[in-house]
Amino acid sequence: MRILVIEDDARGRLFLTRGLAESGHIVDTASDGATGLVLAREGIYDLLVTDRLLPALDGVDLVRQLRAGGDVTPVLMLSAVGGLKDRVDGIQAGCDDYLVKPYAFAELLARVEALERRSGSGKGRRRTGHVWSHADLSLDTRARSATRAGRNLNLQHREFLLLECLMRHAGQVVTRSMLLEAAWNYDFEPRGNVIDMHVHRLRAKVDRNFPTPLIRTVMGAGYVLDGSP
């Protein structure tokens, strides 16, 4: 997933960024609510993790403004204030979950994965828990593994993220910009045909030596995970 972390405390922000990145997610950050709102409105994130007490714009107000604009991106709010009224205010503002500080990273990660499961939907592929499947292709986000017809594909980190993006949008055209957003950080400056090169390597592992190719190029548009589901 691509996650936006909005946290003004530098140590807390680094802790979250490292942990989520090590768990296989792409993470962008903001250190104040106003910047976080601008980034969140770009519509490229699968999940927002935001502190409640933020400079420039409070976390609760940030979520209210997102929901008022029709944004339904799942939000996990972190807060040092955990009274009943505080939690109710956060949920009523539009947060999907509320975690009180201090917290164990294992619990935060479990809540992130729960929100990911709840938001999973799409055409042409199925999802069971943390496993995506399409045709004879299977991708396990927890084990960070992918198989086709039971054969391990041995994907590198970027290849895994690209395949996850394709599986999330199976049957739909996925643009190069979407793939860039799925597998690289916000400030990454692509050079040359880096996306096509990575997709070429991914396709070699997913389709080579299999009777039905699944990854198809759509000229002038991008790629699509095709084949019979």
Side-chain angles (χ1 to χ4, degrees), residues 51-198:
D51 191 26
R52 176 167 184 153
L53 302 177
L54 293 167
L57 181 66
D58 179 79
V60 171
D61 290 332
L62 183 156
V63 176
R64 283 199 185 103
Q65 291 190 40
L66 281 176
R67 298 304 187 231
D71 192 306
V72 296
T73 305
V75 176
L76 170 59
M77 178 162 285
L78 310 177
S79 179
V81 291
L84 176 60
K85 184 179 184 305
D86 300 309
R87 299 196 305 274
V88 169
D89 286 347
I91 298 299
Q92 288 182 336
C95 295
D96 298 272
D97 201 354
Y98 194 104
L99 183 60
V100 179
K101 298 178 179 181
Y103 55 83
F105 182 77
E107 181 180 2
L108 179 138
L109 187 60
R111 290 172 183 251
V112 164
E113 292 173 347
L115 290 173
E116 182 186 10
R117 287 194 298 272
R118 290 180 214 164
S119 64
S121 63
K123 179 181 179 181
R125 52 101 172 113
R126 302 179 305 281
R127 185 175 183 188
T128 304
H130 49 87
V131 177
W132 299 88
S133 59
H134 177 85
D136 56 353
L137 184 62
S138 179
L139 183 143
D140 188 324
T141 59
R142 184 172 296 171
R144 311 303 296 170
S145 64
T147 61
R148 182 164 184 194
R151 187 187 308 173
N152 194 337
L153 298 179
N154 296 313
L155 300 183
Q156 297 297 316
H157 178 61
R158 302 289 182 200
E159 295 166 352
F160 185 92
L161 293 172
L162 293 173
L163 181 58
E164 182 180 5
C165 181
L166 288 167
M167 293 191 76
R168 283 175 177 271
H169 301 278
Q172 306 169 17
V173 175
V174 178
T175 68
R176 289 170 177 80
S177 293
M178 291 169 67
L179 292 172
L180 180 66
E181 291 165 359
W184 281 270
N185 291 328
Y186 186 81
D187 57 358
F188 174 74
E189 293 291 339
R191 297 180 180 178
N193 59 343
V194 61
I195 303 297
D196 295 324
M197 289 172 58
H198 278 80

